[in-house]
Amino acid sequence: MPNHRCVCPDALDRCDRCDVLLDFPSLHLVAVTQAPSGLMLEVESCDPVMGCPGGGVIATGHGRVVVEVIDAPWAGRPVRIRWCKRRWICLEGVCEVVSFVEQDPGVCAPRGLLSTRAIRWAIRLLRYEGATVQGLARQLGTTWNTVWSQVRPVLIEAANDPVRLEDVQVLGVDEHIWHHRDPRRRGPKELTGMVDLTRGPHPTARLLDLIPGRSGKAYRDWLDERGDEFRKRVEIATLDPFQGYKNAIDDQLEGATCVLDAFHIVKLAGAAVDDVRRRIQQEALGRRGRKGEPLYGIRHVLRAGRERLTPRQQTRLASAFAAHPDHVAVEVAYQCAQDVRDVFRQPTPARGRRLAEQLIERLPSCPIPEIARLGKTLRRWKNAFLAYFDTDGASNGGTEAINGIIELGRCIARGFRNVEHYRLRMLLITGGLDASPHTQL
């Protein structure tokens, strides 16, 4: 069926339905052949006139040049586009362009190896489907370097887009280990990750950046580079109990409320119970616990919330506490840890805050050294601890969730060697950058 909407003559016998399958509005599908590398789509444009980019005058046709690019797979087969481009010549004597070839960024970038559609397809699979670059290269019938060399500039452009850092009101921070190799060969292991925890503009937390180092200086420098506007918009800053990050927040985010993560507070309380149990075990027997011994048998039960214990578990706890007079220290430590946990389970923030204030006053004077140490830690972080109840339960949980996604992405890729590649890939899979505006047809 001839395409009557085209300015080309009907004698060329092009099919508009084939053009719809091609899905490049500016091009016509001339022929389809089966090549060893997959499907070969021969296309050409039909622009009757072309203005010179140098002076704007009408250029004269001067032959054609054939360019081949990789397109997104179709029906499970790799696709190549063989584009018969028009070459034009400008007859103006003062024009500096003289000769040029037609270009269409909606189809392919100048000198590009992948079509715009293939790049968009690859980025989408990397973002949502847990794909690897090597897996995409197999589907496209090309190499890892070819795919990444075309995808990487798009990701860099999206990462440098200042729009993605707008409207950040709740900022989380956490350390991250990006490799487990010898640092002398692959560089430092530690990275600092910043996460947007703002509720509303984005449905989930999203990674903002990964920078080398795990220190207050690294975090302080990153905040300083963002500028005054970014820092003034941040209202809440959540963190784990690491003093370096706390110093950076106090220095750069003076107007923000610093909130200590609830999960890590409970984790500190649970660790104190474990320390008491191990110490009592060593003092009583002079060795580590073994199977069949009372304290060793309840080591996992001690980490559970008391409201979740079954009657059998409650009986096991009571029996282990009563087995020896020294075990009372473990019982007291367990009750103190449960009180810390109950702080975050109160029906109203006001009641939770009152209970937290009582624990901050009471725990440092506990005769059990591990619990006293826990109390001193909570007292040192008092303002950040109590800020949880003034910020509608702000926490660093979203940051920990982002860390989980990063770990999964690293496992799927079977490790990374280049930290900048790692940063771009992790920003993509965690929603930290939006590449769609940079890959539009």
Side-chain angles (χ1 to χ4, degrees), residues 329-355:
V330 181
E331 182 178 8
V332 172
Y334 174 73
Q335 297 298 333
C336 291
Q338 292 303 308
D339 290 341
V340 172
R341 186 174 181 274
D342 289 343
V343 163
F344 304 102
R345 299 177 58 83
Q346 299 302 309
T348 62
R351 291 183 60 177
R353 184 185 179 90
R354 284 197 299 270
L355 180 56

mmCIF file of all heavy atoms in Angstrom, residues 329-355:
data_model
loop_
_atom_site.group_PDB
_atom_site.id
_atom_site.type_symbol
_atom_site.label_atom_id
_atom_site.label_comp_id
_atom_site.label_asym_id
_atom_site.label_seq_id
_atom_site.Cartn_x
_atom_site.Cartn_y
_atom_site.Cartn_z
ATOM 1 N N ALA A 329 21.828 -10.308 86.182
ATOM 2 C CA ALA A 329 22.353 -9.177 85.408
ATOM 3 C C ALA A 329 21.849 -9.231 83.966
ATOM 4 O O ALA A 329 21.524 -8.199 83.366
ATOM 5 C CB ALA A 329 23.882 -9.172 85.440
ATOM 6 N N VAL A 330 21.780 -10.451 83.413
ATOM 7 C CA VAL A 330 21.264 -10.611 82.053
ATOM 8 C C VAL A 330 19.785 -10.253 82.016
ATOM 9 O O VAL A 330 19.305 -9.607 81.067
ATOM 10 C CB VAL A 330 21.493 -12.043 81.545
ATOM 11 C CG1 VAL A 330 20.980 -12.195 80.117
ATOM 12 C CG2 VAL A 330 22.959 -12.415 81.627
ATOM 13 N N GLU A 331 19.050 -10.639 83.048
ATOM 14 C CA GLU A 331 17.622 -10.316 83.099
ATOM 15 C C GLU A 331 17.397 -8.810 83.163
ATOM 16 O O GLU A 331 16.530 -8.271 82.456
ATOM 17 C CB GLU A 331 16.985 -11.003 84.310
ATOM 18 C CG GLU A 331 15.494 -10.752 84.419
ATOM 19 C CD GLU A 331 14.864 -11.467 85.600
ATOM 20 O OE1 GLU A 331 15.617 -12.036 86.421
ATOM 21 O OE2 GLU A 331 13.623 -11.460 85.706
ATOM 22 N N VAL A 332 18.181 -8.122 83.988
ATOM 23 C CA VAL A 332 18.043 -6.671 84.098
ATOM 24 C C VAL A 332 18.393 -5.996 82.767
ATOM 25 O O VAL A 332 17.700 -5.076 82.308
ATOM 26 C CB VAL A 332 18.938 -6.133 85.238
ATOM 27 C CG1 VAL A 332 18.945 -4.609 85.228
ATOM 28 C CG2 VAL A 332 18.448 -6.662 86.580
ATOM 29 N N ALA A 333 19.479 -6.467 82.131
ATOM 30 C CA ALA A 333 19.879 -5.893 80.851
ATOM 31 C C ALA A 333 18.793 -6.106 79.791
ATOM 32 O O ALA A 333 18.506 -5.210 78.982
ATOM 33 C CB ALA A 333 21.198 -6.516 80.388
ATOM 34 N N TYR A 334 18.180 -7.285 79.831
ATOM 35 C CA TYR A 334 17.111 -7.574 78.864
ATOM 36 C C TYR A 334 15.920 -6.642 79.084
ATOM 37 O O TYR A 334 15.354 -6.103 78.116
ATOM 38 C CB TYR A 334 16.688 -9.030 79.015
ATOM 39 C CG TYR A 334 15.497 -9.404 78.163
ATOM 40 C CD1 TYR A 334 15.608 -9.553 76.791
ATOM 41 C CD2 TYR A 334 14.242 -9.609 78.751
ATOM 42 C CE1 TYR A 334 14.509 -9.892 76.017
ATOM 43 C CE2 TYR A 334 13.138 -9.949 77.985
ATOM 44 C CZ TYR A 334 13.279 -10.085 76.615
ATOM 45 O OH TYR A 334 12.195 -10.415 75.858
ATOM 46 N N GLN A 335 15.549 -6.418 80.326
ATOM 47 C CA GLN A 335 14.427 -5.523 80.615
ATOM 48 C C GLN A 335 14.738 -4.087 80.205
ATOM 49 O O GLN A 335 13.871 -3.377 79.673
ATOM 50 C CB GLN A 335 14.084 -5.589 82.111
ATOM 51 C CG GLN A 335 13.621 -6.948 82.592
ATOM 52 C CD GLN A 335 12.341 -7.400 81.894
ATOM 53 O OE1 GLN A 335 11.532 -6.581 81.436
ATOM 54 N NE2 GLN A 335 12.152 -8.712 81.804
ATOM 55 N N CYS A 336 15.986 -3.648 80.405
ATOM 56 C CA CYS A 336 16.370 -2.289 79.999
ATOM 57 C C CYS A 336 16.312 -2.151 78.474
ATOM 58 O O CYS A 336 15.845 -1.131 77.952
ATOM 59 C CB CYS A 336 17.772 -1.970 80.504
ATOM 60 S SG CYS A 336 17.904 -1.783 82.300
ATOM 61 N N ALA A 337 16.786 -3.174 77.762
ATOM 62 C CA ALA A 337 16.739 -3.126 76.302
ATOM 63 C C ALA A 337 15.306 -3.093 75.799
ATOM 64 O O ALA A 337 14.989 -2.399 74.822
ATOM 65 C CB ALA A 337 17.492 -4.325 75.718
ATOM 66 N N GLN A 338 14.424 -3.838 76.467
ATOM 67 C CA GLN A 338 13.017 -3.826 76.067
ATOM 68 C C GLN A 338 12.377 -2.468 76.356
ATOM 69 O O GLN A 338 11.510 -2.012 75.600
ATOM 70 C CB GLN A 338 12.266 -4.934 76.795
ATOM 71 C CG GLN A 338 12.667 -6.342 76.370
ATOM 72 C CD GLN A 338 12.495 -6.571 74.883
ATOM 73 O OE1 GLN A 338 11.441 -6.318 74.315
ATOM 74 N NE2 GLN A 338 13.547 -7.061 74.238
ATOM 75 N N ASP A 339 12.819 -1.818 77.420
ATOM 76 C CA ASP A 339 12.306 -0.473 77.699
ATOM 77 C C ASP A 339 12.725 0.503 76.598
ATOM 78 O O ASP A 339 11.938 1.371 76.197
ATOM 79 C CB ASP A 339 12.822 0.015 79.056
ATOM 80 C CG ASP A 339 12.186 -0.738 80.216
ATOM 81 O OD1 ASP A 339 11.124 -1.359 80.007
ATOM 82 O OD2 ASP A 339 12.740 -0.692 81.333
ATOM 83 N N VAL A 340 13.975 0.365 76.127
ATOM 84 C CA VAL A 340 14.431 1.218 75.011
ATOM 85 C C VAL A 340 13.587 0.934 73.775
ATOM 86 O O VAL A 340 13.178 1.856 73.052
ATOM 87 C CB VAL A 340 15.926 0.967 74.725
ATOM 88 C CG1 VAL A 340 16.355 1.698 73.462
ATOM 89 C CG2 VAL A 340 16.775 1.402 75.906
ATOM 90 N N ARG A 341 13.304 -0.309 73.528
ATOM 91 C CA ARG A 341 12.492 -0.667 72.359
ATOM 92 C C ARG A 341 11.068 -0.123 72.488
ATOM 93 O O ARG A 341 10.461 0.316 71.500
ATOM 94 C CB ARG A 341 12.487 -2.189 72.214
ATOM 95 C CG ARG A 341 11.796 -2.708 70.960
ATOM 96 C CD ARG A 341 11.987 -4.209 70.856
ATOM 97 N NE ARG A 341 11.364 -4.714 69.649
ATOM 98 C CZ ARG A 341 10.092 -5.065 69.545
ATOM 99 N NH1 ARG A 341 9.302 -4.944 70.610
ATOM 100 N NH2 ARG A 341 9.590 -5.514 68.412
ATOM 101 N N ASP A 342 10.538 -0.152 73.718
ATOM 102 C CA ASP A 342 9.158 0.321 73.928
ATOM 103 C C ASP A 342 9.008 1.820 73.722
ATOM 104 O O ASP A 342 7.883 2.313 73.519
ATOM 105 C CB ASP A 342 8.690 -0.045 75.349
ATOM 106 C CG ASP A 342 8.450 -1.541 75.500
ATOM 107 O OD1 ASP A 342 8.327 -2.225 74.463
ATOM 108 O OD2 ASP A 342 8.409 -2.018 76.652
ATOM 109 N N VAL A 343 10.132 2.546 73.767
ATOM 110 C CA VAL A 343 10.074 3.990 73.548
ATOM 111 C C VAL A 343 9.424 4.307 72.205
ATOM 112 O O VAL A 343 8.653 5.275 72.078
ATOM 113 C CB VAL A 343 11.506 4.573 73.619
ATOM 114 C CG1 VAL A 343 11.551 5.963 73.007
ATOM 115 C CG2 VAL A 343 11.980 4.634 75.072
ATOM 116 N N PHE A 344 9.715 3.482 71.199
ATOM 117 C CA PHE A 344 9.227 3.743 69.838
ATOM 118 C C PHE A 344 7.894 3.053 69.549
ATOM 119 O O PHE A 344 7.430 3.077 68.407
ATOM 120 C CB PHE A 344 10.277 3.278 68.827
ATOM 121 C CG PHE A 344 11.620 3.905 69.027
ATOM 122 C CD1 PHE A 344 12.651 3.197 69.644
ATOM 123 C CD2 PHE A 344 11.861 5.207 68.641
ATOM 124 C CE1 PHE A 344 13.893 3.758 69.835
ATOM 125 C CE2 PHE A 344 13.098 5.793 68.838
ATOM 126 C CZ PHE A 344 14.121 5.069 69.440
ATOM 127 N N ARG A 345 7.282 2.467 70.572
ATOM 128 C CA ARG A 345 6.020 1.765 70.378
ATOM 129 C C ARG A 345 4.881 2.385 71.175
ATOM 130 O O ARG A 345 3.824 1.777 71.354
ATOM 131 C CB ARG A 345 6.172 0.290 70.786
ATOM 132 C CG ARG A 345 7.210 -0.461 69.959
ATOM 133 C CD ARG A 345 7.378 -1.892 70.448
ATOM 134 N NE ARG A 345 6.113 -2.608 70.405
ATOM 135 C CZ ARG A 345 5.616 -3.196 69.314
ATOM 136 N NH1 ARG A 345 6.288 -3.134 68.173
ATOM 137 N NH2 ARG A 345 4.477 -3.851 69.355
ATOM 138 N N GLN A 346 5.083 3.588 71.665
ATOM 139 C CA GLN A 346 4.054 4.262 72.449
ATOM 140 C C GLN A 346 2.944 4.812 71.536
ATOM 141 O O GLN A 346 3.196 5.126 70.372
ATOM 142 C CB GLN A 346 4.667 5.402 73.266
ATOM 143 C CG GLN A 346 5.709 4.937 74.267
ATOM 144 C CD GLN A 346 5.140 3.934 75.250
ATOM 145 O OE1 GLN A 346 4.104 4.153 75.876
ATOM 146 N NE2 GLN A 346 5.823 2.794 75.377
ATOM 147 N N PRO A 347 1.718 4.924 72.047
ATOM 148 C CA PRO A 347 0.607 5.380 71.199
ATOM 149 C C PRO A 347 0.730 6.831 70.747
ATOM 150 O O PRO A 347 0.182 7.200 69.714
ATOM 151 C CB PRO A 347 -0.623 5.178 72.095
ATOM 152 C CG PRO A 347 -0.098 5.140 73.494
ATOM 153 C CD PRO A 347 1.264 4.531 73.411
ATOM 154 N N THR A 348 1.434 7.655 71.510
ATOM 155 C CA THR A 348 1.603 9.060 71.122
ATOM 156 C C THR A 348 3.072 9.453 71.243
ATOM 157 O O THR A 348 3.811 8.899 72.069
ATOM 158 C CB THR A 348 0.766 9.984 72.014
ATOM 159 O OG1 THR A 348 1.225 9.871 73.389
ATOM 160 C CG2 THR A 348 -0.713 9.608 71.944
ATOM 161 N N PRO A 349 3.520 10.407 70.444
ATOM 162 C CA PRO A 349 4.905 10.864 70.557
ATOM 163 C C PRO A 349 5.228 11.445 71.933
ATOM 164 O O PRO A 349 6.355 11.305 72.413
ATOM 165 C CB PRO A 349 5.023 11.932 69.458
ATOM 166 C CG PRO A 349 3.956 11.595 68.468
ATOM 167 C CD PRO A 349 2.833 11.025 69.289
ATOM 168 N N ALA A 350 4.255 12.085 72.561
ATOM 169 C CA ALA A 350 4.507 12.688 73.872
ATOM 170 C C ALA A 350 4.855 11.619 74.908
ATOM 171 O O ALA A 350 5.785 11.798 75.712
ATOM 172 C CB ALA A 350 3.291 13.492 74.322
ATOM 173 N N ARG A 351 4.120 10.507 74.889
ATOM 174 C CA ARG A 351 4.421 9.432 75.840
ATOM 175 C C ARG A 351 5.767 8.790 75.537
ATOM 176 O O ARG A 351 6.525 8.434 76.453
ATOM 177 C CB ARG A 351 3.306 8.394 75.795
ATOM 178 C CG ARG A 351 1.976 8.894 76.352
ATOM 179 C CD ARG A 351 0.920 7.815 76.351
ATOM 180 N NE ARG A 351 1.315 6.664 77.163
ATOM 181 C CZ ARG A 351 0.550 5.595 77.374
ATOM 182 N NH1 ARG A 351 -0.666 5.544 76.818
ATOM 183 N NH2 ARG A 351 0.961 4.600 78.117
ATOM 184 N N GLY A 352 6.073 8.623 74.263
ATOM 185 C CA GLY A 352 7.382 8.086 73.902
ATOM 186 C C GLY A 352 8.513 8.988 74.348
ATOM 187 O O GLY A 352 9.553 8.513 74.826
ATOM 188 N N ARG A 353 8.329 10.294 74.209
ATOM 189 C CA ARG A 353 9.354 11.238 74.617
ATOM 190 C C ARG A 353 9.562 11.202 76.125
ATOM 191 O O ARG A 353 10.717 11.228 76.602
ATOM 192 C CB ARG A 353 8.968 12.642 74.154
ATOM 193 C CG ARG A 353 10.024 13.700 74.457
ATOM 194 C CD ARG A 353 9.534 15.087 74.089
ATOM 195 N NE ARG A 353 10.535 16.085 74.390
ATOM 196 C CZ ARG A 353 11.476 16.489 73.565
ATOM 197 N NH1 ARG A 353 11.552 15.979 72.358
ATOM 198 N NH2 ARG A 353 12.343 17.413 73.939
ATOM 199 N N ARG A 354 8.472 11.113 76.896
ATOM 200 C CA ARG A 354 8.617 11.058 78.357
ATOM 201 C C ARG A 354 9.373 9.808 78.783
ATOM 202 O O ARG A 354 10.246 9.870 79.657
ATOM 203 C CB ARG A 354 7.235 11.079 79.016
ATOM 204 C CG ARG A 354 6.576 12.440 79.034
ATOM 205 C CD ARG A 354 5.430 12.493 80.033
ATOM 206 N NE ARG A 354 4.380 11.533 79.698
ATOM 207 C CZ ARG A 354 3.341 11.804 78.922
ATOM 208 N NH1 ARG A 354 3.221 13.010 78.387
ATOM 209 N NH2 ARG A 354 2.419 10.893 78.680
ATOM 210 N N LEU A 355 9.056 8.679 78.182
ATOM 211 C CA LEU A 355 9.762 7.440 78.527
ATOM 212 C C LEU A 355 11.232 7.536 78.135
ATOM 213 O O LEU A 355 12.118 7.069 78.878
ATOM 214 C CB LEU A 355 9.095 6.261 77.825
ATOM 215 C CG LEU A 355 9.706 4.871 78.075
ATOM 216 C CD1 LEU A 355 9.743 4.558 79.568
ATOM 217 C CD2 LEU A 355 8.939 3.797 77.319
#
